[in-house]
């Protein structure tokens, strides 16, 4: 995960990623993210002006990871059907 910042920012993104992925973006509140990341609300808002900004960062990180994975599979120059199977399995 690319964090571009402090350890606290990294913990926020890691925590948000885990919670958003397992429980859904709308199900998880800022208080929960702050508590589980072990940071203060002020720290959260120093790195992300609001929950929406944290969500955008989470989605950008997920997109980057998915695209990197697909690019690595495509670079293997498998047949089309093998490429699709490899992407689906990843």
């Amino acid at each position: 995960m690319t964090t571009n910042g402090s350890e606290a920012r990294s913990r926020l993104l890691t925590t948000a990623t885990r919670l958003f992925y397992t429980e859904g973006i709308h199900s998880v509140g800022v208080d929960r993210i702050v508590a589980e990341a072990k940071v203060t609300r002020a720290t959260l808002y120093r790195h992300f002006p609001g929950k929406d900004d944290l969500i955008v960062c989470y989605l950008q990180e997920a997109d980057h990871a998915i695209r990197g994975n697909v690019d690595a599979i495509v670079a293997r120059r498998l047949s089309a059907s093998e490429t699709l199977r490899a992407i689906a399995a990843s």
Side-chain angles (χ1 to χ4, degrees), residues 4-90:
N4 298 326
S6 73
E7 179 186 340
R9 186 175 191 278
S10 176
R11 282 199 318 270
L12 283 162
L13 276 172
T14 299
T15 302
T17 296
R18 178 177 47 81
L19 293 172
F20 290 162
Y21 183 80
T22 59
E23 298 181 27
I25 291 170
H26 297 292
S27 300
V28 179
V30 168
D31 290 335
R32 175 113 180 263
I33 294 167
V34 165
E36 292 199 24
K38 295 181 174 69
V39 299
T40 64
R41 284 179 76 88
T43 299
L44 171 81
Y45 291 120
R46 187 176 324 119
H47 294 288
F48 304 98
K51 182 181 176 187
D52 288 346
D53 300 281
L54 178 58
I55 292 167
V56 167
C57 189
Y58 157 70
L59 293 173
Q60 288 171 330
E61 293 290 327
D63 176 67
H64 180 74
I66 292 166
R67 288 176 188 270
N69 189 40
V70 169
D71 289 345
I73 292 168
V74 169
R76 292 168 39 196
R77 300 198 181 276
L78 303 170
S79 70
S81 61
E82 291 172 323
T83 299
L84 288 174
R85 278 194 288 278
I87 290 169
S90 66

